[in-house]
Amino acid sequence: MDQNAENASQGTASFGFRTVPEGDRQGLVNKVFASVADRYDLMNDLMSGGLHRLWKRELITMLNAPRGVAPFKLLDVAGGTGDIAIRYARDSGPNATAVICDISPEMLEVGKRRIADAGLDSRISCVEGNAEELPFESASFDAYTIAFGIRNVTHIDKALAEAYRVLKPGGRFLCLEFSECRVPLLDRAYDFHSFEVIPRLGQWAAGDADSYRYLVESIRRFPKQEAFAELIRKAGFARVSFRNLTGGIAAIHGGWKI
């Protein structure tokens, strides 16, 4: 079977506002993150006006990892640059460890440098892998986090099923993701910032308007809060909830493997 026939048999998927062959989507996403890896913090600052730092702090607070000597194992998916894992390690006890799993080797290289600079090599490890087919045994983690990553997954249902599989009974799932702004007037300002300002800033700051345009479009294609919460329930999680941040510009979704 040639490549075009194979793509046709696989169906289509969204890449921002474009429709692409399903088999091509992950490669296109990978190119975006290879392009922005060294400027990932800048990317998030442009996307959120710097608020992503406060949102990530809230995620770590909600995770509430043990600060004593109790062992605790976190899987941080799509966390290649190490931002969440480093914050978690600094906020938890000496026996709290983390594994970062990311499909982008370029992002992982950035993360490895930051982890080494933070002196956390003994507590944080990095593994290249796909969120839809995690290279870990079932029931092996106490918590699973994913920040600004799940909207870039081709099959969200598969990623959620894998999250459920690798968690221990009693394990917690937490997802920080851009969402639907629900404050009148703020939503219009946010749309203007997203579609008119961010691509121009991306071109000016990083010489890459297209990657930033995709990232904005991918937010608008992502399921709204209630729809995403329902996908989490369908994956098997219990006590599913979400917390809107900054009027819904972002949201933290959570669930438990009971």
Side-chain angles (χ1 to χ4, degrees):
M1 181 182 295
D2 65 27
Q3 187 63 53
N4 289 335
E6 183 179 351
N7 286 338
S9 70
Q10 291 176 338
T12 60
S14 65
F15 178 72
F17 289 163
R18 293 166 51 196
T19 298
V20 299
E22 188 176 70
D24 292 351
R25 185 184 188 276
Q26 190 61 62
L28 292 168
V29 172
N30 292 351
K31 287 181 182 178
V32 168
F33 284 93
S35 171
V36 303
D38 288 324
R39 299 178 296 273
Y40 185 69
D41 283 342
L42 171 63
M43 179 195 78
N44 279 331
D45 283 334
L46 295 179
M47 298 286 287
S48 71
L51 289 170
H52 73 99
R53 302 172 190 273
L54 299 177
W55 299 339
K56 289 171 181 175
R57 169 50 52 192
E58 183 65 18
L59 179 73
I60 298 302
T61 299
M62 290 178 65
L63 180 60
N64 193 29
R67 297 185 179 182
V69 297
F72 192 86
K73 192 172 183 181
L74 169 70
L75 175 62
D76 184 41
V77 175
T81 60
D83 202 8
I84 294 296
I86 291 171
R87 289 167 184 264
Y88 151 83
R90 288 172 172 165
D91 199 58
S92 58
N95 294 320
T97 60
V99 177
I100 297 171
C101 182
D102 200 300
I103 200 169
S104 169
E106 293 84 2
M107 297 281 279
L108 285 173
E109 283 304 311
V110 175
K112 289 174 183 177
R113 293 198 300 267
R114 291 182 175 178
I115 292 163
D117 290 344
L120 292 168
D121 304 73
S122 64
R123 294 178 57 197
I124 304 173
S125 59
C126 296
V127 175
E128 187 176 336
N130 190 328
E132 297 181 23
E133 298 180 41
L134 293 172
F136 308 109
E137 294 183 1
S138 299
S140 52
F141 293 93
D142 297 290
Y144 173 117
T145 54
I146 183 167
F148 306 122
I150 203 159
R151 76 179 189 280
N152 298 305
V153 171
T154 301
H155 303 101
I156 294 174
D157 56 341
K158 290 184 179 180
L160 292 172
E162 281 290 272
Y164 188 87
R165 180 185 66 81
V166 301
L167 280 170
K168 299 175 183 177
R172 191 171 193 188
F173 168 86
L174 286 172
C175 173
L176 169 62
E177 188 53 84
F178 287 107
S179 199
E180 180 188 46
C181 182
R182 294 184 166 180
V183 177
L185 299 183
L186 177 60
D187 58 348
R188 294 183 183 181
Y190 179 53
D191 277 348
F192 179 82
H193 176 73
S194 298
F195 290 103
E196 301 298 331
V197 177
I198 288 175
R200 289 181 170 85
L201 288 175
Q203 181 63 40
W204 171 75
D208 186 2
D210 289 342
S211 291
Y212 287 80
R213 187 173 295 108
Y214 156 73
L215 292 166
V216 168
E217 292 173 356
S218 69
I219 294 169
R220 297 308 190 273
R221 295 297 297 262
F222 189 71
K224 294 178 174 58
Q225 288 91 320
E226 291 82 4
F228 184 52
E230 185 58 28
L231 290 175
I232 297 170
R233 292 188 190 94
K234 287 181 178 179
F237 288 100
R239 295 167 57 190
V240 174
S241 63
F242 65 86
R243 177 183 298 179
N244 283 327
L245 305 172
T246 317
I249 290 176
I252 298 176
H253 284 77
W256 298 82
K257 181 175 179 178
I258 304 299

